[in-house]
């Protein structure tokens, strides 16, 4: 493969820099002088080139050079985003070794060289070899590139030693093919978003810290190398409490030909902060004015759930419109309904509260939500709305209440024919909205709503925010003609754009791409199934019952599980006829068949088994007594992006009926 002349000269320059860094020329001169003294006989006038190369190879010089210039593709632990650029993750502390880097691109090599002062784990004992223990994992996102560190045991001084190669480039203004220089990189204001996740011995994840690293200080450092100490703060109610410190080293590669003065870098950062603060101040002034006008329409509006700002995991107030953005899933999700299923299988967890006092508000940034694979209803609704916008639908997040006045968020799409569809992000269910007319006489038949929503205060997406100013905020009577300002009071789209458009302010967290699943569905299904068989056998043994498994009956349950998942994704039922026919053939005359399907979004077999036993139907199957009892269990894991999964389990038994 031939290189263009400019790339060839660039490659030569990189090789020359590396050789100079290793002082190869000086070492060669020393070895040649030594070889001439030792090996040149009195009758010889000169040494051949082959003799000299042999001497260099014998002393290891050639091997050292080839190791340093080893540009091969190495299989490295990484997460593949849906973007065409694949990030490279290292676990080496030294200079870059083996990777498929592009010599015409500029890279930032970020090394995490250990942590300290994680005082919550001060008393944590050293894990024994092979012992399962709680772990820390560091997740990074930078300009559409996702990275994940190797898990390290939780400790006061966690042993992080990972390196990540971040590509720094501009894809606009025709600069995509040029290597970025110092001035260009100074204008790239995207921070590196770092999220620290703790995974306990049961596989449960907890968000420990979320930090935005300003990396551009390296542009003003000597040789383009700098070391930083990053203090990580807690999340939610603990956002003012330090949880630990990370030691980080940043290095530009290839080295910068010209570094900027630290004063220039500091001035640029100060100007960006000042500009962002001014935009946020002006939006706050506008939001206050809009709220005053909204309250003047009718005093009862004060009790409606009109949410203009929401706190993120770091306790920072952000406009709600900044939590939504059109998000394309690449080839990972094919349809809007499949996207709804993906969001549904991400775990649901309310923000933790220390003590009583009701619900703690915490809307997570998308990276924090995806990395821990669970969040509150607002996180699910924001992600689903972003995905539906990516599919070209007119989607909005709705903020209101469910039964008993519980605050809730869901998604709404508006069809071109005026059809209003509600999407429940926690279940994947869809509901068509048909408003009732409160002025109709009592005898008139009104459509009965099937959705669980009671009131609605506002709707929003990445460009619009509208407050409900209809006489009643009851969802069933609401008319969703969003262009009618007598029913929905809009915010200025220009005002929203000034603080929520991509690149509008440096304080907005960029949206990461979705990552493909790393779970092997077949292997995981088998593992869970084997564990469940063991648990059932032990449970029956405790009851004094023997257990006989029938593999063929277990296999026949597979079509049913596939049909259930297909129905959850598409709302279409298919394949039940074949399943029922197969079961009738497998169960002899005079025998009874019982089956119990159940669905989980986690892969912990013991926890799933405990949940199954709480169901009287399932317990009846597992503890079945009778003549010729045969048991079956089938597990089917369906994988989704971000290693989310839907786990279907079906327990079944057949036995001879004895009257």
């Amino acid at each position: 493969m031939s290189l263009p002349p400019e790339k060839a000269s660039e490659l030569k320059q990189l090789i020359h820099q590396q050789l100079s860094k290793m002082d190869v020329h000086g070492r060669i001169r020393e070895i040649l002088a030594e070889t001439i003294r030792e090996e040149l006989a009195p009758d010889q006038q000169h040494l051949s080139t082959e003799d000299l190369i042999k001497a260099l190879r014998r002393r290891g010089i050639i091997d050292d050079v080839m190791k340093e210039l080893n540009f091969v593709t190495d299989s490295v632990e990484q997460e593949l985003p849906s973007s065409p650029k694949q990030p490279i993750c290292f676990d080496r502390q030294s200079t870059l070794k083996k990777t498929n880097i592009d010599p015409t691109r500029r890279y930032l090599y970020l090394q995490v060289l250990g942590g300290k002062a994680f005082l919550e784990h001060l008393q944590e004992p050293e894990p024994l070899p092979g012992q399962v223990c709680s772990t820390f994992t560091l997740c990074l996102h930078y300009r559409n590139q996702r990275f994940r560190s190797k898990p390290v045991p939780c400790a006061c001084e966690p042993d992080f030693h990972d390196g990540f190669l971040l590509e720094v480039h501009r894809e606009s203004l025709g600069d995509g093919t040029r290597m970025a220089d110092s001035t260009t990189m100074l204008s790239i204001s995207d921070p590196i978003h770092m999220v620290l996740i703790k995974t306990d011995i049961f596989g449960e994840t907890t968000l420990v810290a979320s930090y935005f690293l300003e990396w551009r200080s390296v542009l003003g450092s000597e040789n383009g190398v700098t070391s930083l100490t990053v203090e990580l703060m807690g999340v939610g109610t603990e956002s003012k409490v330090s949880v630990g410190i990370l030691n980080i080293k940043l290095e530009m590669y290839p080295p910068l030909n010209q570094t900027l003065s630290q004063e220039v870098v500091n001035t640029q950062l100060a100007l960006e902060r000042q500009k962002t603060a001014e935009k946020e101040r002006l939006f706050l002034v506008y939001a206050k004015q809009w709220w005053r006008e909204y309250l003047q329409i009718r005093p009862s509006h004060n009790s409606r759930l009109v949410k203009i700002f929401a706190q993120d995991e770091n306790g920072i107030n952000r406009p709600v419109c900044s939590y939504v953005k059109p998000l394309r899933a690449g080839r990972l999700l094919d349809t809007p309904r499949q996207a709804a299923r993906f969001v549904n299988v991400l775990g649901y967890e309310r923000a933790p509260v220390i003590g009583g006092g009701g619900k703690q508000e915490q809307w997570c940034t998308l990276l924090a939500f995806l990395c821990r694979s669970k969040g509150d209803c607002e996180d699910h609704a924001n992600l689903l709305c972003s995905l539906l916008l990516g599919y070209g639908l007119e989607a909005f997040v709705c903020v209101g209440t469910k039964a008993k006045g519980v605050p809730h968020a869901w998604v709404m799409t508006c069809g071109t024919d005026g059809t209003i569809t509600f999407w429940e992000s926690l279940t994947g269910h869809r509901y068509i909205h048909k408003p009732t007319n409160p002025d109709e006489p009592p005898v008139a038949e009104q459509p009965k709503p099937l959705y669980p929503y009671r009131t609605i205060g506002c709707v929003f997406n990445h460009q619009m925010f509208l407050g409900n100013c209809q006489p009643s905020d009851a969802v069933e009577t609401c008319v969703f003609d969003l262009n009618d300002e007598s029913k929905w009071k809009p915010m200025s789209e220009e005002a929203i754009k000034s603080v929520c458009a991509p690149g509008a302010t440096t304080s907005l967290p960029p949206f990461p791409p979705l990552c493909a699943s790393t779970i092997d569905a077949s292997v995981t299904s088998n593992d869970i199934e084997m564990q469940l068989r063991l648990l059932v056998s032990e449970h029956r043994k405790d009851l004094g019952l023997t257990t006989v498994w029938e593999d063929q009956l277990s296999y026949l349950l597979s079509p049913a599980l596939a049909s259930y998942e297909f129905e959850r994704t598409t709302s279409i039922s298919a394949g039940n006829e074949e399943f029922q026919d197969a079961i009738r053939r497998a169960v002899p005359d005079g025998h009874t068949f019982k089956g119990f399907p159940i669905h989980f979004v986690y892969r912990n077999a013991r926890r799933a088994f405990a949940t199954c036993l709480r169901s009287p139907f399932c317990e009846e199957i597992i503890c079945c007594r009778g003549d010729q009892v045969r048991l079956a269990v089938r597990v089917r894991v369906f994988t989704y992006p971000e290693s989310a999964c839907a786990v279907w389990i079906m327990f079944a038994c057949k036995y001879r009926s004895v009257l």
Side-chain angles (χ1 to χ4, degrees), residues 584-595:
R584 287 192 189 101
R585 291 176 180 276
V587 179
D589 289 341
H591 284 64
T592 301
F593 171 84
K594 291 181 180 179

Side-chain angles (χ1 to χ4, degrees), residues 90-93 111-115 149-150 152 158-164:
F90 298 80
D91 58 0
R92 302 174 186 269
Q93 294 185 58
Q111 296 178 77
V112 184
L113 305 175
S149 73
K150 294 192 299 294
V152 300
D159 188 27
F160 285 112
H161 279 94
D162 277 299
F164 309 96

Side-chain angles (χ1 to χ4, degrees), residues 286 462-465 483 490-499:
Y286 170 76
H462 63 303
Q463 293 175 329
M464 301 170 67
F465 183 95
N483 295 316
M491 268 194 171
S492 160
E493 290 189 27
E494 284 300 314
I496 293 170
K497 192 176 178 181
S498 70
V499 289

Side-chain angles (χ1 to χ4, degrees), residues 529 554-555 557-558 561 632-636 648-651:
E529 194 169 304
S554 295
Y555 181 71
L557 304 178
S558 292
L561 301 183
V633 62
R634 193 65 171 171
V635 176
R636 181 72 166 86
W648 282 96
I649 300 172
M650 191 168 189
F651 290 99

Side-chain angles (χ1 to χ4, degrees), residues 101-349:
I101 63 171
D102 183 346
T104 66
R105 290 291 184 133
R106 183 77 69 187
Y107 296 91
L108 175 66
Y109 185 41
L110 184 152
Q111 296 178 77
V112 184
L113 305 175
K116 56 187 179 182
F118 284 79
L119 300 180
E120 190 173 330
H121 301 277
L122 190 60
Q123 307 297 329
E124 204 88 22
E126 281 285 323
L128 299 171
Q131 180 186 359
V132 178
C133 62
S134 299
T135 59
F136 283 138
T137 307
L138 193 63
C139 305
L140 278 75
H141 168 233
Y142 177 71
R143 292 176 72 80
N144 232 31
Q145 301 164 76
R146 294 271 302 275
F147 305 85
R148 181 184 289 266
S149 73
K150 294 192 299 294
V152 300
C154 294
C156 183
E157 297 186 356
D159 188 27
F160 285 112
H161 279 94
D162 277 299
F164 309 96
L165 195 64
L166 288 66
E167 188 176 322
V168 185
H169 63 94
R170 295 199 62 160
E171 293 177 340
S172 59
L173 306 176
D175 292 339
T177 57
R178 242 180 277 159
M179 184 182 286
D181 57 17
S182 302
T183 309
T184 303
M185 288 189 288
L186 186 61
S187 66
I188 299 175
S189 59
D190 297 89
I192 300 169
H193 191 183
M194 307 170 69
V195 168
L196 185 63
I197 300 292
K198 177 183 175 182
T199 308
D200 67 15
I201 58 175
F202 304 108
E204 290 296 308
T205 55
T206 309
L207 178 62
V208 178
S210 174
Y211 184 83
F212 293 93
L213 176 66
E214 177 51 72
W215 58 273
R216 286 176 288 175
S217 58
V218 73
L219 301 176
S221 304
E222 190 177 352
N223 301 322
V225 181
T226 187
S227 295
L228 304 170
T229 301
V230 171
E231 183 180 17
L232 301 178
M233 309 302 282
V235 295
T237 53
E238 300 173 38
S239 59
K240 307 297 183 198
V241 180
S242 173
V243 294
I245 292 170
L246 292 180
N247 296 318
I248 289 175
K249 182 180 177 184
L250 300 175
E251 179 180 356
M252 296 307 304
Y253 184 84
L256 296 171
N257 296 326
Q258 179 183 1
T259 57
L260 303 172
S261 73
Q262 200 62 53
E263 187 181 354
V264 169
V265 175
N266 293 340
T267 303
Q268 172 70 16
L269 300 182
L271 283 172
E272 287 178 3
R273 284 193 295 269
Q274 183 181 347
K275 189 176 177 182
T276 294
E278 181 60 17
K279 284 185 176 181
E280 290 175 345
R281 186 190 68 80
L282 290 174
F283 182 77
L284 179 60
V285 169
Y286 170 76
K288 285 181 176 178
Q289 176 62 29
W290 183 92
W291 178 244
R292 280 195 295 269
E293 292 171 0
Y294 181 72
L295 291 182
Q296 285 171 8
I297 297 173
R298 60 177 65 85
S300 62
H301 284 183
N302 194 36
S303 60
R304 294 189 180 182
L305 278 178
V306 179
K307 194 146 198 62
I308 303 172
F309 295 93
Q311 281 192 359
D312 67 8
E313 67 266 23
N314 291 325
I316 297 172
N317 275 316
R318 301 185 190 278
V320 290
C321 296
S322 68
Y323 289 89
V324 175
K325 175 191 168 186
L327 181 64
R328 301 203 318 201
R331 301 191 185 278
L332 301 178
L333 297 168
D334 295 320
T335 66
R337 296 193 187 190
Q338 196 178 15
R341 179 61 173 153
F342 157 59
V343 176
N344 155 223
V345 298
L346 291 170
Y348 169 63
E349 181 183 77

Side-chain angles (χ1 to χ4, degrees), residues 340-606:
R341 179 61 173 153
F342 157 59
V343 176
N344 155 223
V345 298
L346 291 170
Y348 169 63
E349 181 183 77
R350 296 177 64 174
V353 181
I354 300 174
K359 180 180 174 181
Q360 165 68 27
E361 178 182 272
Q362 179 181 306
W363 291 30
C364 278
T365 54
L366 182 55
L367 183 68
F369 176 39
L370 294 176
C371 288
R372 67 172 180 155
S373 293
K374 58 185 177 183
D376 213 332
C377 61
E378 294 88 358
D379 303 324
H380 287 79
N382 291 334
L383 175 55
L384 178 56
C385 183
S386 298
L387 287 167
L388 296 182
L389 288 168
Y391 281 112
L393 301 179
E394 187 180 10
F396 297 86
V397 175
C398 304
V399 179
T401 62
K402 292 195 298 184
K404 299 181 181 177
V406 177
H408 190 62
W410 66 97
V411 178
M412 171 184 78
T413 53
C414 306
T416 52
D417 59 354
T419 303
I420 300 299
T421 307
F422 293 147
W423 303 62
E424 177 47 63
S425 56
L426 296 180
T427 63
H429 293 159
R430 299 165 66 254
Y431 308 96
I432 303 298
H433 171 66
K434 294 179 180 176
T436 58
N437 187 349
D439 299 327
E440 287 280 336
V443 292
E445 189 176 343
Q446 298 275 16
K448 189 175 181 181
L450 300 174
Y451 44 76
Y453 318 120
R454 293 293 177 264
T455 67
I456 182 166
C458 64
V459 300
F460 66 88
N461 61 18
H462 63 303
Q463 293 175 329
M464 301 170 67
F465 183 95
L466 303 114
N468 181 6
C469 53
Q470 296 172 62
S472 169
D473 62 352
V475 177
E476 60 185 11
T477 62
C478 267
V479 176
F480 287 91
D481 180 3
L482 302 181
N483 295 316
D484 187 346
E485 294 193 12
S486 68
K487 294 181 171 62
W488 295 92
K489 179 173 172 58
M491 268 194 171
S492 160
E493 290 189 27
E494 284 300 314
I496 293 170
K497 192 176 178 181
S498 70
V499 289
C500 296
T505 66
T506 55
S507 64
L508 280 182
F511 268 48
L514 297 182
C515 285
S517 177
T518 58
I519 296 172
D520 186 318
S522 299
V523 172
T524 308
S525 299
N526 283 335
D527 287 347
I528 298 174
E529 194 169 304
M530 289 302 104
Q531 292 178 54
L532 287 175
R533 282 196 175 200
L534 188 62
L535 290 166
V536 170
S537 298
E538 289 177 349
H539 186 73
R540 287 177 62 83
K541 187 178 179 182
D542 292 341
L543 298 174
L545 301 171
T546 57
T547 306
V548 181
W549 296 100
E550 186 171 315
D551 291 340
Q552 176 62 13
L553 184 59
S554 295
Y555 181 71
L556 295 183
L557 304 178
S558 292
L561 301 183
S563 175
Y564 299 149
E565 182 61 22
F566 182 75
E567 186 176 356
R568 286 289 181 100
T569 306
T570 63
S571 303
I572 299 170
S573 178
N576 278 329
E577 299 83 1
E578 294 88 347
F579 166 67
Q580 291 171 8
D581 189 60
I583 293 297
R584 287 192 189 101
R585 291 176 180 276
V587 179
D589 289 341
H591 284 64
T592 301
F593 171 84
K594 291 181 180 179
F596 177 79
I598 190 167
H599 167 256
F600 299 99
V601 295
Y602 51 80
R603 305 187 301 278
N604 187 322
R606 191 172 292 276

